[in-house]
Amino acid sequence: MIINARNLVKRYGDLVALDHLSFSVKEGEIFGLLGPNGSGKTTAINCILSLLKYDNGEVEIFGETMTPDAYHIKRNIGIVMQNVAVYNELTVYENIDYFCGLYVRDKNLKKRLVDEAVEFVGLNEFTRFYPKKLSGGLLRRLNIACGFAHRPKLIIMDEPTVAIDPQSRNRILEGILELNREGATIIYTSHYMEEVEKICSRIMILDKGKAIATGTKDELKAMITLGEKITVESYGVTEEQLKRMRSLPNIVSVDYRDQVLEVKSGKGKNNLETVLDFIKKEGIQFGKIYCELPTLNDVFLELTGKELRD
Amino acid sequence: MQVFKLYMKIIRRNIPIMLVYVITFLVVALIMSSSMVKEQKKVASFERTKSKVAFIAEENSPLIDGFREELGKIANFIELPDETEALQDALYFRKVSYILRIPKGFTEGFMKGENVQMEKTVVPDSFSNAYIDLCIDKYFNTARLYINQMKGITQESLVQSLRLDLSESASVEVKTYGDEPADYRYGNYFFNYLSYSLFAVIIQGMGVLMLVFNNQDLKRRNTCSPVSINSINLQFLLANLVFTISSWLIMVIFTICCSSVSFLIGNLVRGYEAISAISNVVTIGPCFISGAFVPQELLGESVLRIASFTPTYWYVKANNQIAQLTRFGLLAFFAVSLVVVKKRRFE
C-alpha cells in the first residue's frame, strides 16, 4: 500500500470535516476522491500530508507513519495544490527549478529533471515568462510541473483543473495518465465526475466528510439499482399511459416533462425493447431516443439523494 | 540553499523599484543638501540689506542733507511724485516699503529744541521698517545731544560731527542655533536626507519579501517539501542578514532598526500597494520629527523626546556629530587602512 488512512476525524468547531474517513491507495493506481465542494476532499489531502492536525486517526505513507517532520517520506511525494502556488517573481523555468531543487540536490540531475518537466507540460516556449503573463491553462500546467518535476513516487493533485478551458484540461488529464504510465501513483481530487471517471482506476465518493462508496467506476455503478436511462422525445403522453408504463417489468421510474419522457430501468436485458413496444402499442408519437448507462452522478444521486453539483 | 537563493532572486527582481526610491531621494537629497549648505552660509555671514524708501523733504537744509546721506547707507531712495494716490500705489505694489516725509520748518524747530515730527507711511509688519526707524532715531537722538550740549552749534558742524560719530561700526559675530557651532558640511545634510530613502528601500525590499514568504499557498507548498522548517527559517534569516548587512555597510546601525520596523510591517500588511503607502508614512514621519529635513536644533524639546524613540533621530544625531568630528576624507582613509590590515592578516 502506498497510503493507508484509518479513521481520520477532523473537526472545525461544530463542523465535522472528516468523519472517520478510512481508505487506502495501492501502488500504481490513480485514486480519485470525488465529492461536491465542501465534502472534505482538500481537508483529507491536508491531513494526509500532515499540513493539518487531525483530531483522530492515523496516516501511513510508504508503510511509515506520516508526521510533519517525516522529510524522508515527503521527498517521494509531489503535490499540486488547488490554488496555484508559484512565485510571481520567478520565471516559469526558475519556478520549476526552485521546487525541483527542494527535493534534488545534484545540479545536473536537477537540470535534466527541470528540462523534462518543461517538455512534459509543453511550456518550452514560455520558460522565460513570468507567471502573471501566463493564461489560466498555462499557469495550471506550471503548477503541475512544479509538483512532479522531481519525479516522485506519489503525486497528490488537488483539483488541478479548476477554472481552465477544456483544451488545457484534456492536456492535463492526458499528462496525468502519462505520469501514471511512467510509474507514479496518483491521488486525484475533483468535483468533475467526467474527469474522475475518465482517468481514475479507483474512486472514493465523499460527502460531508464521509466515504459513501469506494471502488472502480464499474463497481460503483453496480452498487445502484439503476441499469440504464432511456430518454424519448414524445408528444401527448397522458397520465394514464405513464401509470401503465410504471407498472412494466424492471422499470424503476418514469418521468414526463417538456415532451421528454425519461425512463429509468433496473439492471437487466431488453429494457429498451420493452419501452419501445409499449410506446408502439399505446400509439404514442415519438422522435429521438437516447439510451445511457448510469454515470457517477447517478451513483451519487442514488446514494445521497442529491446531485453531485448541488 | 534554495530558500536563500530564492530570497536573493526576489531582491534582485525588486531592485528597479528600490532604485526608483534611491535615485529619486538621492537627487532630492543632493538638491536639498546643497541648498541647505548655501542657506547655512547665508546665515553664518552678515550682509547689509537696503530698504526701498521714498524720501520726501519739503525743505532743504544741511541737517536734512546730512540725514539723507546717513539714511542712504541702509536705504535705496526711490523717486516718486508727491501725490497721495501715487504714493499709496507704490506702497501697495511694494515699490517702496517706507515713505518718509519731512515737513517744512522741521530743521528750524529741531535746531531750537522744539518737539518736531516727521511723517511716515509704511508697509505693515516689515522688519526693514524697524531698521529704518532705528536709523532715524539714532541720527536725530545724537543730533539732539549735540544741540543740547553745544549751544549755538551750526548745522554744518553738527552734520560733520554726526558723520564722524555714525561712521563708527562694531564687528559682529553671528551665532546660529544658540550654543551649536554652525559647521555642518555638505555630506552631513546629504546623509540626513538619505535616511529617508534608505528606510524606504529596506521596507520596500523586505516588505515585498515578507509578503512573498507569508503567502499561505506557497508556505504550505514549501512545507510539503523535504526541507525542514528550521532549515527554511535559517536560510531566510541568513538571507535577511545578508540583505541587512549589505545596507549596514553603508549606514551602520540605522538599517538594523529599519529592518526591524520593515520586518514588522512586512508581517502586518497584506498587499503590495500597502507597503509603499506604509513605507512613506513610516519614513517621512520620523524624518520630519528627527531632524532629517529640519535641523534638530530648531525642533522643540518635546518633539525631540518623541523622536528619540525612532532610529532616524539617532541616525541624524550621529551624523551631526560625525560631521563635527572629521571630514569624509579621513573616514575613507580609515576604511582603506582597515582593508589593507585585513588583507595582510589573510596573507
Side-chain angles (χ1 to χ4, degrees), chain A residues 85-303:
Chain A
V86 294
Y87 291 97
N88 287 325
E89 293 76 11
L90 303 185
T91 62
V92 165
Y93 192 91
E94 286 171 336
N95 262 300
I96 302 173
D97 181 76
Y98 168 75
F99 286 109
C100 187
L102 291 174
Y103 299 82
V104 180
R105 285 191 181 167
D106 184 280
K107 271 189 180 176
N108 295 328
L109 176 64
K110 186 175 75 172
K111 191 183 178 311
R112 185 171 62 77
L113 289 174
V114 173
D115 289 340
E116 278 175 17
V118 169
E119 180 76 35
F120 190 92
V121 293
L123 287 174
N124 311 53
E125 294 170 24
F126 304 96
T127 50
R128 285 168 178 269
F129 280 50
Y130 286 96
K132 280 191 174 170
K133 298 276 177 193
L134 299 179
S135 67
L138 292 175
L139 199 58
R140 285 278 166 190
R141 280 197 242 167
L142 170 62
N143 197 33
I144 291 171
C146 292
F148 78 85
H150 58 290
R151 295 288 163 158
K153 288 182 193 164
L154 171 66
I155 303 172
I156 298 173
M157 294 180 159
D158 191 6
E159 308 218 25
T161 57
V162 169
I164 56 167
D165 58 286
Q167 212 176 346
S168 293
R169 176 173 295 158
N170 286 335
R171 185 168 180 130
I172 287 170
L173 294 180
E174 280 163 21
I176 292 167
L177 288 170
E178 179 64 29
L179 284 170
N180 180 243
R181 274 195 290 275
E182 289 175 11
T185 303
I186 292 165
I187 297 182
Y188 186 87
T189 80
S190 180
H191 61 268
Y192 296 126
M193 57 173 181
E194 302 87 353
E195 284 184 4
V196 173
E197 210 169 334
K198 186 177 173 183
I199 64 166
C200 294
S201 39
R202 228 152 50 86
I203 301 156
M204 183 168 77
I205 298 177
L206 274 175
D207 188 41
K208 293 177 182 167
K210 277 186 185 169
I212 54 171
T214 309
T216 63
K217 58 186 171 191
D218 292 334
E219 284 170 349
L220 289 174
K221 286 172 187 175
M223 285 178 187
I224 57 171
T225 53
L226 180 67
E228 56 194 318
K229 196 161 64 182
I230 302 158
T231 310
V232 185
E233 273 183 22
S234 53
Y235 314 100
V237 183
T238 63
E239 272 302 316
E240 275 301 310
Q241 286 169 326
L242 290 177
K243 205 180 273 179
R244 281 201 291 278
M245 202 174 201
R246 283 184 191 115
S247 62
L248 288 173
N250 211 24
I251 297 297
V252 177
S253 71
V254 178
D255 192 27
Y256 183 62
R257 203 179 295 162
D258 299 330
Q259 298 181 335
V260 175
L261 186 65
E262 195 179 88
V263 182
K264 287 180 179 172
S265 64
K267 292 182 176 68
K269 291 176 180 173
N270 306 322
N271 289 323
L272 179 62
E273 200 179 339
T274 308
V275 172
L276 287 176
D277 281 349
F278 179 81
I279 287 171
K280 272 188 208 166
K281 205 171 92 185
E282 291 287 327
I284 298 169
Q285 284 187 317
F286 64 95
K288 291 173 187 168
I289 298 172
Y290 309 96
C291 191
E292 293 169 89
L293 291 170
T295 62
L296 289 176
N297 191 45
D298 296 316
V299 176
F300 193 80
L301 181 66
E302 196 167 319
L303 293 176

Side-chain angles (χ1 to χ4, degrees), chain B residues 102-269:
Chain B
I102 298 171
K104 207 171 172 98
F106 176 87
T107 310
E108 195 185 343
F110 186 81
M111 292 304 287
K112 283 179 184 167
E114 289 172 6
N115 193 10
V116 288
Q117 284 191 334
M118 286 184 277
E119 287 173 27
K120 73 168 184 177
T121 316
V122 297
V123 172
D125 302 325
S126 166
F127 77 93
S128 60
N129 295 342
Y131 193 33
I132 301 282
D133 286 342
L134 276 174
C135 180
I136 296 170
D137 287 346
K138 192 166 72 172
Y139 190 86
F140 287 104
N141 284 341
T142 315
R144 177 81 72 197
L145 200 67
Y146 273 105
I147 293 167
N148 288 343
Q149 296 303 318
M150 298 172 73
K151 299 290 177 195
I153 189 170
T154 61
Q155 282 188 47
E156 287 75 14
S157 52
L158 175 63
V159 168
Q160 208 163 3
S161 301
L162 285 172
R163 191 178 293 138
L164 196 68
D165 290 351
L166 298 177
S167 65
E168 291 290 326
S169 63
S171 64
V172 177
E173 187 188 339
V174 177
K175 282 201 171 188
T176 55
Y177 318 136
D179 54 350
E180 288 287 329
D183 191 23
Y184 291 170
R185 295 188 183 90
Y186 185 84
N188 184 222
Y189 285 108
F190 175 80
F191 280 108
N192 279 357
Y193 280 100
L194 199 64
S195 64
Y196 175 40
S197 62
L198 260 163
F199 212 163
V201 163
I202 291 174
I203 290 179
Q204 186 75 34
M206 212 174 274
V208 168
L209 274 159
M210 293 309 297
L211 269 183
V212 172
F213 281 88
N214 283 339
N215 178 303
Q216 206 57 32
D217 293 325
L218 290 167
K219 228 177 189 176
R220 285 152 66 100
R221 177 66 188 83
N222 283 329
T223 310
C224 292
S225 75
V227 182
S228 70
I229 302 293
N230 286 345
S231 172
I232 290 176
N233 285 340
L234 201 69
Q235 290 182 51
F236 187 66
L237 188 71
L238 191 65
N240 258 339
L241 278 175
V242 169
F243 178 56
T244 308
I245 288 170
S246 305
S247 312
W248 178 79
L249 286 173
I250 313 165
M251 285 299 130
V252 201
I253 296 165
F254 176 68
T255 49
I256 291 178
C257 301
C258 299
S259 299
S260 313
V261 179
S262 315
F263 193 80
L264 179 70
I265 290 167
N267 273 306
L268 292 179
V269 297

